[in-house]
Amino acid sequence: MFQKIKKETAVDKVAKQLRSLIENGEYKPGDKLPSERALCEMMAVSRIAVREAIRDLVAKNLLEVRAGNGTYVKSVTANDFVDPLMVKLMNGYTVRDLIEFREMIELSCCRLAVQRATDGDLDALWQILESMKQQLSEHKDYLAADLEFHNLIAKASGNKILVLVLNSVGDIIREVIRETSQGPGAPKRVYQLHYDIYKSLLHRDEKRTVMAMKKHLEWVKIDLLNYHQSVK
């Protein structure tokens, strides 16, 4: 009957606040949002958190990012505030479903990223790893950085459909990251697994990059099963 109360991340809070402003009509269709930097200052959050929240609302068809021109509110209907794919997945997916989906999408992203990642893509991944490392050392929330790492690999694949598909289930992956970060030693292990993916990608080693991502997803499965067992 009762459900466990979920701990909200900075990304969740930013997305909720932006969504509320749109729902309440304070930002109308066609209105331009303040810049990422301005939103960071106004809400006292990191740029990563703002960026992920915007990406989440873009995937939900509430915002659109116009290259070189900022972020705008889209024309929406009531149906746009419900994500049909999210409803289906959150109400019925299994751990196996999720891991199989992520392997299918993210291993493909890795294979393509090995061939197509630019120096800029690799620099961005390194910056995210450094951010994650700092947040872990200060015992801060690293969930946004974790999700951004995976999104950047998808972007580095150069395949827009893979990026779109991964973004469409961003809420699910974010929740998985939250749940799998609960176990003892999980945060430190997660950082190392991400570093291994980055290092293999940096050396353009397809086999090792795919193996590193697969190892990461295997640990996701273990941590996720342990988490759900602990809250039963």
Side-chain angles (χ1 to χ4, degrees):
M1 181 182 296
F2 294 101
Q3 296 182 347
K4 187 173 181 179
I5 302 299
K6 298 176 183 177
K7 180 181 177 181
E8 282 194 322
T9 66
V11 176
D12 296 328
K13 291 176 181 177
V14 173
K16 183 181 288 185
Q17 188 171 154
L18 291 175
R19 181 169 176 153
S20 177
L21 291 170
I22 296 169
E23 290 175 333
N24 295 337
E26 294 190 45
Y27 280 99
K28 297 178 175 58
D31 285 351
K32 183 179 181 180
L33 293 187
S35 67
E36 282 187 6
R37 179 177 294 179
L39 289 171
C40 291
E41 293 174 356
M42 287 187 285
M43 292 187 274
V45 295
S46 71
R47 198 156 189 167
I48 294 174
V50 169
R51 191 176 297 131
E52 285 301 321
I54 289 174
R55 180 179 282 127
D56 179 45
L57 296 180
V58 167
K60 289 183 169 64
N61 208 34
L62 301 179
L63 296 176
E64 63 176 331
V65 177
R66 300 176 187 172
N69 197 24
T71 304
Y72 291 79
V73 179
K74 292 189 72 174
S75 298
V76 297
T77 66
N79 289 334
D80 289 316
F81 290 97
V82 180
D83 187 332
L85 178 60
M86 282 298 302
V87 171
K88 290 178 182 177
L89 289 174
M90 291 301 283
N91 287 339
Y93 80 88
T94 65
V95 171
R96 187 183 71 177
D97 292 335
L98 179 63
I99 299 302
E100 288 176 350
F101 169 81
R102 289 191 65 179
E103 283 188 349
M104 181 174 64
I105 300 300
E106 298 199 61
L107 297 186
S108 295
C109 288
C110 283
R111 292 187 181 96
L112 291 173
V114 167
Q115 303 168 33
R116 300 174 179 174
T118 65
D119 289 344
D121 292 328
L122 295 171
D123 287 344
L125 283 167
W126 176 249
Q127 292 301 320
I128 289 296
L129 276 175
E130 286 293 284
S131 176
M132 188 185 297
K133 186 176 182 179
Q134 182 178 347
Q135 289 162 351
L136 286 170
S137 68
E138 297 174 0
H139 305 287
K140 292 182 178 178
D141 183 2
Y142 65 92
L143 274 64
D146 191 331
L147 183 59
E148 176 73 357
F149 182 89
H150 290 271
N151 286 332
L152 283 172
I153 289 181
K155 177 177 175 290
S157 76
N159 188 300
K160 294 179 181 179
I161 295 178
L162 286 174
V163 174
L164 181 64
V165 171
L166 196 63
N167 282 343
S168 73
V169 292
D171 279 355
I172 294 176
I173 294 177
R174 187 179 298 115
E175 176 63 13
V176 166
I177 293 171
R178 184 191 69 79
E179 292 180 354
T180 55
S181 67
Q182 306 296 313
K188 185 176 180 180
R189 181 175 66 249
V190 166
Y191 171 80
Q192 185 61 50
L193 290 166
H194 284 73
Y195 177 80
D196 291 344
I197 295 168
Y198 166 78
K199 186 177 179 181
S200 300
L201 184 57
L202 183 66
H203 288 90
R204 306 286 179 175
D205 189 324
E206 180 177 326
K207 183 177 179 180
R208 288 186 181 275
T209 304
V210 170
M211 285 177 61
M213 178 63 81
K214 195 162 187 176
K215 182 179 179 181
H216 169 44
L217 294 176
E218 286 171 355
W219 269 109
V220 169
K221 181 179 180 179
I222 292 168
D223 288 336
L224 200 54
L225 289 170
N226 287 339
Y227 173 83
H228 283 282
Q229 189 66 34
S230 70
V231 297
K232 281 185 178 179

